[in-house]
Amino acid sequence: MFQIASILVSIAAVLSWINYKYIKLPSTIGVMLISLLASVALVFFGHAENGFRGRLAHLVEGIDFYHIVFHGMLPFLLFAGAMHIKLKDLKREWLPVTLLAVVGTGVSIFAVAGGLFVILHWLRLPVPWIACLLFGALISPTDPIAVLGIMKSAGAPKSIETQISGESLFNDGVGVVAFMAILGVAGGEKLPSAFDTAAMLTYEIGGAVVAGVITGGIALLLLKRVDRYQVEVLLTLAAATGSYALAEAFHVSAPIAVVVAGLTVGNHGAGFSMSPQTARRVDEFWELIDEFLNVGLFMLMGLEVIILPLRTASLWVGTAAIVVSLLARLGIAWGMSAGLAAARRPLLRGSVPLLTWGGLRGGISLALALALPAADHRDTLLAAAYIVVVFSIVVQGLTFGRLIRRKCGSGRVEVVPL
């Protein structure tokens, strides 16, 4: 494990240096793009069994991407993201965030599954309906980590930034719960009724909120009684990992628990429990953790192409999945905007294209895809998920800033009903 970690950290450091010195893209996008291009070159020009490609492929095959994401990186990434979201902004945008994270994710699962099911049968690549539902569940959670910096540098309206970041923090938990429930049905479990489904979601989400509040509250009380930033950094680390572990122990949504704990510490720590100097150092620590883990995650996503079964049929399915997921996202954004306008709570002009194009897919989608059970269609769906994620991060991520400037100009955006 130490050798594998040493190699991966070294690769990430070199790719970060190359991107910073020569390519100058946002760090996560640049690192993923370089590792992806290098991996593709090795696939086409390297020797499969011997040489560097063979050794790298053996290394990547030995990495449990699902375990690394969900039991390694995710608690820290979610906690770092939640630490920097202000509750007052989230409270102001609570209705759009809730609609996108809960209703939007549910609608997206069925919309993507239905569209993909029809297209695959038209392409004479029949995939069972339950498999299409699994794909809809794994591709619906958004991951705007790579685009948050672009939104800030391009002057995105605060409401759009809060909506996209808030949605991503909460729909991870909703998407994972839905994926696991559908996976259970695919494994032969009885299909739950509407009441059972509602009860399960209430328990998962409600229990996660309680777990997050408890761990975050305990962390605040302990933080208030010390003024040494090394100890306080350790306490925030304990809040991140403790909330995740507590949620898993009681079988509730661990991602949502971490988000709630991060919101609790991030919004009440500086004024209630930490001195200004300590709060600044804690923020700097979590910014470093966020940057380091994101670079590692996106590098791994680029390297995964070495072991993925990419065939011609997979490319067609991946292209279809890109179109279906974008259309589903567009329909959700437009429907939400129309509903809010009818309720006299209109979004900003230009919100629909920004919400559509800013809904990036990332490491969570790929990790869930790698957790798909072995079946004839697994390789096809795994490759399709990877194609959607790469398109999302590279194409959408690199063009999102331009879209913000085009739709928002200097950042002064007029509020109008649709």
Side-chain angles (χ1 to χ4, degrees):
M1 285 300 298
F2 179 77
Q3 290 178 339
I4 292 175
S6 300
I7 293 171
L8 293 178
V9 169
S10 300
I11 293 174
V14 172
L15 295 184
S16 297
W17 185 86
I18 293 172
N19 177 68
Y20 179 80
K21 289 290 290 183
Y22 301 108
I23 302 178
K24 301 187 185 303
L25 291 175
S27 59
T28 50
I29 298 178
V31 167
M32 178 181 175
L33 189 58
I34 298 170
S35 61
L36 176 62
L37 293 176
S39 301
V40 170
L42 285 173
V43 168
F44 282 100
F45 302 110
H47 297 289
E49 300 298 332
N50 302 314
F52 183 71
R53 178 198 166 183
R55 290 193 290 269
L56 188 58
H58 180 72
L59 172 69
V60 175
E61 286 176 349
I63 298 172
D64 189 341
F65 191 85
Y66 178 89
H67 183 78
I68 286 177
V69 171
F70 281 96
H71 297 98
M73 295 182 172
L74 191 59
F76 304 103
L77 289 171
L78 291 177
F79 192 86
M83 282 266 293
H84 296 97
I85 291 183
K86 300 303 179 185
L87 280 174
K88 62 178 182 179
D89 297 330
L90 199 59
K91 183 179 179 180
R92 186 169 57 247
E93 303 294 336
W94 74 271
L95 185 55
V97 168
T98 303
L99 290 175
L100 286 170
V102 181
V103 180
T105 302
V107 171
S108 176
I109 291 172
F110 287 95
V112 171
L116 193 63
F117 183 80
V118 171
I119 292 175
L120 289 180
H121 280 71
W122 179 71
L123 292 173
R124 296 183 179 180
L125 295 169
V127 172
W129 168 246
I130 193 69
C132 291
L133 273 178
L134 280 172
F135 185 85
L138 68 88
I139 212 66
S140 292
T142 57
D143 182 9
I145 292 169
V147 83
L148 284 178
I150 299 174
M151 285 195 295
K152 293 178 181 178
S153 62
K158 190 64 179 179
S159 61
I160 296 293
E161 183 181 331
T162 303
Q163 288 165 17
I164 293 179
S165 57
E167 173 203 4
S168 73
L169 290 174
F170 288 103
N171 71 3
D172 290 343
V174 176
V176 171
V177 170
F179 180 85
M180 293 303 177
I182 298 170
L183 191 62
V185 174
E189 296 181 10
K190 182 181 178 182
L191 184 67
S193 64
F195 176 80
D196 291 337
T197 302
M200 179 184 67
L201 286 175
T202 301
Y203 173 75
E204 288 265 3
I205 296 174
V209 171
V210 172
V213 170
I214 289 174
T215 51
I218 292 174
L220 286 177
L221 292 175
L222 295 176
L223 287 167
K224 189 174 178 62
R225 285 161 173 77
V226 295
D227 189 18
R228 183 176 175 82
Y229 80 91
Q230 294 93 335
V231 176
E232 296 180 72
V233 164
L234 286 174
L235 288 172
T236 58
L237 284 170
T241 55
S243 58
Y244 202 88
L246 181 64
E248 287 195 325
F250 285 92
H251 305 289
V252 297
S253 176
I256 293 179
V258 174
V259 168
V260 173
L263 288 171
T264 303
V265 174
N267 282 268
H268 301 293
F272 175 77
S273 301
M274 291 184 280
S275 66
Q277 181 183 12
T278 300
R280 178 175 56 82
R281 289 186 171 183
V282 170
D283 284 342
E284 290 173 350
F285 169 82
W286 279 103
E287 287 175 3
L288 177 62
I289 291 292
D290 189 45
E291 179 76 10
F292 174 74
L293 291 181
N294 273 301
V295 167
L297 175 61
F298 280 77
M299 178 204 65
L300 286 175
M301 288 166 59
L303 294 177
E304 283 289 326
V305 74
I306 292 179
I307 61 172
L308 287 181
L310 294 175
R311 295 184 286 268
T312 303
S314 301
L315 296 177
W316 282 108
V317 176
T319 303
I322 291 172
V323 174
V324 169
S325 59
L326 283 176
L327 288 177
R329 180 77 179 175
L330 175 62
I332 291 166
W334 183 87
M336 184 190 72
S337 299
L340 290 176
R344 296 185 178 181
R345 292 195 59 175
L347 297 176
L348 302 181
R349 183 190 295 275
S351 291
V352 171
L354 291 176
L355 290 173
T356 301
W357 204 245
L360 305 187
R361 275 72 179 184
I364 291 177
S365 294
L366 186 56
L368 291 176
L370 288 166
L372 287 169
D376 294 337
H377 50 265
R378 181 185 185 272
D379 289 348
T380 300
L381 295 181
L382 175 57
Y386 189 81
I387 292 170
V388 173
V389 169
V390 170
F391 176 88
S392 174
I393 293 171
V394 176
V395 178
Q396 292 175 236
L398 290 179
T399 58
F400 190 58
R402 187 181 306 170
L403 180 64
I404 291 173
R405 289 186 289 270
R406 179 182 174 185
K407 293 294 181 182
C408 304
S410 61
R412 296 178 61 186
V413 185
E414 180 185 0
V415 180
V416 295
L418 298 176

